Amino acid sequence: MGRLSSCFALVLLAASALLPEASAATSAAATGTGKGQPPPSESKQPDVSTLCDCSTFTSRHLHDISAAERSPKWFVASESPVCATSHTDAVIDGITFASPCLALCQQQHIRHRGSCEDIDNGAFKLSEDFTFVSLADIRRSKAKDRQLTPAVVHRFRSDGYVFVGRITGGTVPQDLADEDDEKNEEKDEESQPRKYRDVMIVPGGDTYARLLASTDEEVRQRLMDKGMHDEDQDIREGNASLPTDWTMRPRPARDSDFSRGAINMTTDAPEEKCVVGGESRTIGSKQTDYPWRTSGFLSISTSDGDFRCSGIVAGSPITGMTAAHCFTNRKPGGGNVFVENFRARFCPGQSGSERPFGCVSVRRITVPGEWLSRRNRPREYDWGVMLFAVPIGAQTGYVPIGSACKRRLFTPKITVWMLSYPGFDDRSDRRRVFFEKRDDFNFRCRQKVNHKFDTNGGASGAGMTEFRNGYWWLRAVHNSAPRGRCRSNTAAKMTGRNSNQAREIIAEQSS
């Protein structure tokens, strides 16, 4: 999954010295504190093997009420979440793990019991809407492929990820609307001195966090090392956001109209979610022309039912973009799903029962850590990178991730297309593709945008593309409609941090 930076490689080299069965001493528990209190004096380099069984990730002192408070035995006496880090200094860069032994057996240093707190400085925590599945429940699982084993825990270790547990929906989250969206729309994206990390979720809910949080500068440098430049830096090379050594690159395309088999909608969509100023979408047949064929229908099956979203082949032949909430958030009435036990298929170019390129399964979804960490679900982080089982983009082509935007006193507007698969209660859509073209898309440098494309449930995850300088670019991912008065919808823009983070994830997963 790509080359690691030198500092990243050193951390992984140090981590590789501890195998699941190893009994080498570590100061992991010694640095554990009770919310900032100094480490217990009695514990100097405690042996992890005396505290945990790293073949099953269980505590050897579970429920030991005699352990002194904040001692190593005290930390592992309860299988409750802990905040841990690979650092031994005071830098707040922690990751929330489902249990102490899960962290210790991955050579992490426990900071305190409970979830990590300082998300602005790169910590990964879970909001109250998500909880870890009990590790005891996982160990009792009858399905061998779902049990907690070293193979599961260390699956992505060489790629810089640690296993934090298996997450599931906790309390039902509110679909919070951003009341100040329109007031904040005119503010440019500001550079903020915070770190960020991404979180990978595989079918079954197994969740992995990137070991080290990154600054904007570190991510930009890694992208430069991979030959991936910002769109504005080298637009004359065509698709400058992609590595120069990739064999599959989007071909220049004309700014064509979406017309093959299209029919106009004659009535407003039933049970509209947010149709702005009357229906303006068009229904199309199966799509075999680029770039329309990169958009597709995303079906997600869980133990709680089947759900739908939209998506787009983007960034590489084997990756796609969609909304994070399609996989990680369940709201009243359905439409979104638990991460646990999900199975997903993506069918590019589909309309109705016609699937010109067949379907491909989704192997995993990677989302920004902030999406799982913040209670209010900020929509600028409501996006995710899908890794497909096979490079479907070899047949369809793919849309590169854009990065261009304008910082001006007035609001610049550009022409953008959106293809989506909205679902209606009367099932009149029959999984047909809908399209809309608007020339009032906000091109300011913000990570979130209000837009006036019409949407219904199922349109979440739709790619919003623009034709510029001979190429089609992904500008945003639609993700939400506000509650109450329907004046606009929202999308996560591919600018700044979003663009850099998405392209880095894609570069690693495509290598």
Side-chain angles (χ1 to χ4, degrees):
M1 285 195 180
R3 295 175 299 170
L4 299 170
S5 64
S6 58
C7 63
F8 203 42
L10 288 175
V11 172
L12 292 179
L13 181 62
S16 64
L18 181 64
L19 298 175
E21 300 81 14
S23 59
T26 176
S27 62
T31 60
T33 67
K35 297 287 185 182
Q37 299 180 29
S41 58
E42 66 173 273
S43 54
K44 298 179 180 179
Q45 304 292 329
D47 192 338
V48 172
S49 65
T50 66
L51 299 172
C52 307
D53 179 352
C54 288
S55 63
T56 59
F57 305 95
T58 55
S59 168
R60 299 188 188 279
H61 305 278
L62 192 62
H63 307 309
D64 185 351
I65 60 176
S66 65
E69 186 174 348
R70 291 186 300 279
S71 67
K73 292 182 180 179
W74 177 82
F75 273 103
V76 301
S78 171
E79 284 201 331
S80 58
V82 296
C83 179
T85 180
S86 55
H87 300 290
T88 57
D89 55 25
V91 177
I92 303 297
D93 188 21
I95 297 176
T96 302
F97 291 82
S99 78
C101 283
L102 191 58
L104 294 178
C105 290
Q106 296 182 81
Q107 206 172 10
Q108 300 294 292
H109 303 268
I110 295 177
R111 305 183 76 83
H112 56 73
R113 277 186 176 178
S115 179
C116 296
E117 297 174 332
D118 197 344
I119 185 64
D120 285 341
N121 283 327
F124 167 66
K125 64 179 180 179
L126 284 179
S127 76
E128 61 191 68
D129 295 331
F130 293 100
T131 59
F132 287 115
V133 176
S134 167
L135 295 185
D137 291 341
I138 299 176
R139 285 190 289 268
R140 287 194 293 264
S141 173
K142 295 181 180 179
K144 291 184 178 180
D145 61 339
R146 305 219 45 223
Q147 293 174 346
L148 192 65
T149 64
V152 169
V153 171
H154 301 289
R155 180 177 177 183
F156 301 107
R157 187 171 186 166
S158 62
D159 301 315
Y161 289 84
V162 289
F163 178 71
V164 298
R166 187 172 293 165
I167 66 173
T168 186
T171 58
V172 177
Q174 293 178 333
D175 186 18
L176 297 180
D178 298 297
E179 301 297 339
D180 296 327
D181 272 355
E182 294 188 2
K183 290 187 293 184
N184 294 333
E185 184 60 39
E186 296 305 314
K187 295 181 180 179
D188 277 345
E189 178 181 323
E190 296 180 359
S191 177
Q192 300 181 29
R194 66 185 182 207
K195 298 181 180 179
Y196 57 93
R197 55 161 43 93
D198 49 77
V199 180
M200 181 189 306
I201 306 171
V202 301
D206 290 336
T207 305
Y208 303 80
R210 186 183 292 274
L211 189 62
L212 294 179
S214 301
T215 63
D216 290 313
E217 292 72 23
E218 290 168 342
V219 171
R220 290 194 191 100
Q221 185 58 53
R222 286 199 288 268
L223 290 173
M224 292 290 287
D225 292 342
K226 297 174 185 294
M228 298 176 68
H229 307 277
D230 282 340
E231 178 188 345
D232 284 339
Q233 289 180 332
D234 205 359
I235 189 67
R236 287 175 298 179
E237 289 190 6
N239 186 358
S241 69
L242 300 179
T244 56
D245 58 349
W246 282 5
T247 57
M248 283 291 300
R249 297 179 62 169
R251 298 176 180 177
R254 60 189 176 87
D255 184 9
S256 60
D257 283 334
F258 181 103
S259 58
R260 182 184 296 244
I263 58 174
N264 291 324
M265 293 188 66
T266 56
T267 59
D268 286 352
E271 300 297 328
E272 65 184 44
K273 187 171 184 180
C274 188
V275 174
V276 184
E279 184 61 68
S280 57
R281 288 171 289 188
T282 300
I283 305 173
S285 66
K286 66 178 181 180
Q287 296 305 304
T288 57
D289 293 335
Y290 180 85
W292 321 123
R293 64 192 181 206
T294 61
S295 294
F297 180 81
L298 178 61
S299 60
I300 306 171
S301 299
T302 74
S303 56
D304 294 319
D306 298 331
F307 305 90
R308 66 189 295 162
C309 274
S310 302
I312 186 169
V313 186
S316 84
I318 202 169
T319 55
M321 297 288 291
T322 190
H325 75 255
C326 293
F327 288 86
T328 59
N329 189 12
R330 186 167 187 255
K331 291 183 279 189
N336 302 287
V337 301
F338 286 119
V339 295
E340 192 175 10
N341 297 322
F342 78 78
R343 290 178 292 110
R345 293 196 314 162
F346 177 76
C347 308
Q350 175 174 341
S351 193
S353 60
E354 296 182 280
R355 299 167 179 162
F357 304 98
C359 300
V360 61
S361 62
V362 178
R363 293 177 59 185
R364 57 179 179 262
I365 180 79
T366 304
V367 303
E370 290 90 340
W371 176 248
L372 298 177
S373 301
R374 298 181 185 273
R375 176 66 180 86
N376 64 343
R377 297 287 189 275
R379 292 300 176 181
E380 59 264 39
Y381 301 117
D382 190 357
W383 59 266
V385 175
M386 300 179 287
L387 179 67
F388 302 132
V390 297
I392 191 68
Q395 302 178 57
T396 64
Y398 61 95
V399 177
I401 307 295
S403 59
C405 59
K406 299 296 182 183
R407 298 181 183 275
R408 296 180 179 175
L409 294 177
F410 64 91
T411 302
K413 304 292 185 180
I414 60 175
T415 299
V416 167
W417 295 78
M418 186 174 86
L419 275 64
S420 64
Y421 293 82
F424 309 134
D425 287 349
D426 66 355
R427 300 186 179 180
S428 61
D429 58 278
R430 300 196 301 272
R431 298 188 176 186
R432 293 178 297 185
V433 63
F434 287 62
F435 87 91
E436 188 175 1
K437 176 184 179 182
R438 298 190 64 94
D439 59 4
D440 57 359
F441 188 82
N442 189 322
F443 201 47
R444 290 185 73 86
C445 297
R446 295 197 68 224
Q447 289 178 259
K448 182 178 68 175
V449 61
N450 288 343
H451 64 84
K452 295 185 178 180
F453 285 83
D454 296 334
T455 66
N456 294 76
S460 293
M464 309 179 79
T465 59
E466 183 211 12
F467 182 79
R468 181 178 291 260
N469 295 326
Y471 289 83
W472 288 90
W473 301 89
L474 180 66
R475 296 299 181 203
V477 176
H478 166 70
N479 54 36
S480 178
R483 295 181 298 171
R485 184 179 177 184
C486 179
R487 293 178 293 186
S488 63
N489 291 289
T490 63
K493 271 188 174 179
M494 290 296 106
T495 59
R497 294 166 57 88
N498 278 349
S499 175
N500 288 339
Q501 188 173 11
R503 288 186 293 132
E504 183 187 34
I505 294 170
I506 288 169
E508 291 179 342
Q509 296 192 351
S510 304
S511 301

